[in-house]
Amino acid sequence: MWINSSSLLLGTNLKMNQTAAETGRFIIELAEVLPRSFGQYFIIPPFTSLAAAVRARDESELPVWIGAQNMHWEPSGAFTGEISAAMLTALGVDLALLGHAERRGLFHETDEDLQRKVQAALAAGLRVLLCIGETAGERANAVGLETVGRQLKIALNGIAADQAPMLQVAYEPVWSIGAGGTPATPDDIAPVATAIRGLLVSQFGDGGGAIPILYGGSVDPTNAGIFLQVPEITGLFVGRAAWTPPGFLAIVDSARDMSGRQS
Ligand code: PGA
């Protein structure tokens, strides 16, 4: 399931949507319509759908990573309501989504929490998809780059270069996410993506140059390919628009047609 740096990475976070049976069907139906040669897909369902998602991944042989939306940094213990990295790997989960804007904003996850989570996920053998992004207020005060740099540096502090192949970073400006969000423009994204790449290369060397950087926030079939023309953006992290098989396929088609990147 390895991708090289020229491949695209595209997937969706289902947030608090779909039962286990619905997610299983979703992946089986996706496997019938998605091109296999596109790159690497990922689906990040609720915890209760993970086992069904892993089964559907294995049955369909779709090149899809199954991800969890969160995890605790401790391996076990008195943490009611939490799930550990070991529990996820035991299920066959590939990836942990860490630091989504809703986790940071609604559930008060801090950069220090995320540092612990990144370390625990990588130590357990999970891939990490780390989300970073500035709020509307930070953008208005022109400190977006500082916010994104701080989030990235703290979350990845202490991670060694040999772990870089397990990392993926999603730049998701908070003001662009969800029904009330406005999609960012390539001009908004380009300087941030360049700064993220610079930080990754300064920490990991050549390995930092190969870490996928995804854009997320109000991605839909009309704009998906445009984001992929931004230098350093090598993938898309989609919410609402990819929650049905036709919606997911429309984004893949748009990414292929408009990005100029044929697989
Ligand atoms: P959206 O969600 O595509 O529905 O804006 C993106 C996200 O929350 O990652």
Side-chain angles (χ1 to χ4, degrees):
M1 294 219 230
W2 171 250
I3 56 165
N4 68 39
S5 54
S6 62
S7 296
L8 297 174
L9 190 54
L10 187 150
T12 187
N13 165 21
L14 296 174
K15 308 192 180 187
M16 197 171 74
N17 294 291
Q18 295 192 1
T19 63
E22 286 167 341
T23 302
R25 264 199 311 278
F26 178 54
I27 293 173
I28 295 294
E29 286 174 26
L30 281 178
E32 286 163 10
V33 295
L34 291 182
R36 304 278 164 145
S37 58
F38 175 80
Q40 179 70 44
Y41 303 110
F42 61 87
I43 308 276
I44 307 180
F47 286 130
T48 45
S49 287
L50 284 170
V54 165
R55 259 196 316 278
R57 174 202 67 194
D58 292 347
E59 274 168 28
S60 67
E61 297 180 1
L62 186 69
V64 60
W65 292 333
I66 304 302
Q69 295 177 11
N70 180 28
M71 49 159 265
H72 198 270
W73 57 84
E74 290 291 341
S76 61
F79 302 103
T80 300
E82 295 290 329
I83 297 286
S84 74
M87 293 169 187
L88 298 174
T89 55
L91 269 187
V93 168
D94 302 291
L95 172 147
L97 170 63
L98 298 176
H100 188 274
E102 287 151 18
R103 298 294 319 164
R104 292 179 190 264
L106 299 174
F107 302 102
H108 314 296
E109 280 190 10
T110 66
D111 291 322
E112 289 72 20
D113 292 340
L114 290 161
Q115 184 182 88
R116 294 188 196 100
K117 291 182 183 200
V118 169
Q119 289 175 2
L122 293 174
L126 287 169
R127 294 179 176 280
V128 166
L129 175 52
L130 175 70
C131 293
I132 55 179
E134 80 282 4
T135 63
E138 288 162 336
R139 182 187 191 214
N141 286 312
V143 293
L145 278 177
E146 284 87 342
T147 297
V148 166
R150 188 199 73 237
Q151 291 173 336
L152 189 71
K153 285 166 85 168
I154 296 177
L156 300 185
N157 190 19
I159 303 302
D162 65 354
Q163 293 176 303
M166 298 298 276
L167 292 173
Q168 300 43 236
V169 175
Y171 170 51
E172 296 205 294
V174 179
W175 45 269
S176 75
I177 294 175
T182 335
T185 66
D187 286 347
D188 294 321
I189 303 166
V192 189
T194 301
I196 292 170
R197 179 65 71 209
L199 288 169
L200 293 173
V201 169
S202 85
Q203 180 166 354
F204 299 114
D206 287 350
I211 293 174
I213 302 177
L214 287 63
Y215 168 75
S218 295
V219 175
D220 66 30
T222 68
N223 61 27
I226 293 167
F227 298 127
L228 292 171
Q229 291 167 359
V230 177
E232 307 299 348
I233 296 294
T234 57
L236 296 172
F237 187 21
V238 192
R240 294 154 292 155
W243 289 346
T244 62
F248 198 118
L249 178 62
I251 302 244
V252 169
D253 285 342
S254 161
R256 291 212 299 186
D257 295 347
M258 294 166 69
S259 70
R261 300 183 197 204
Q262 295 302 317
S263 47

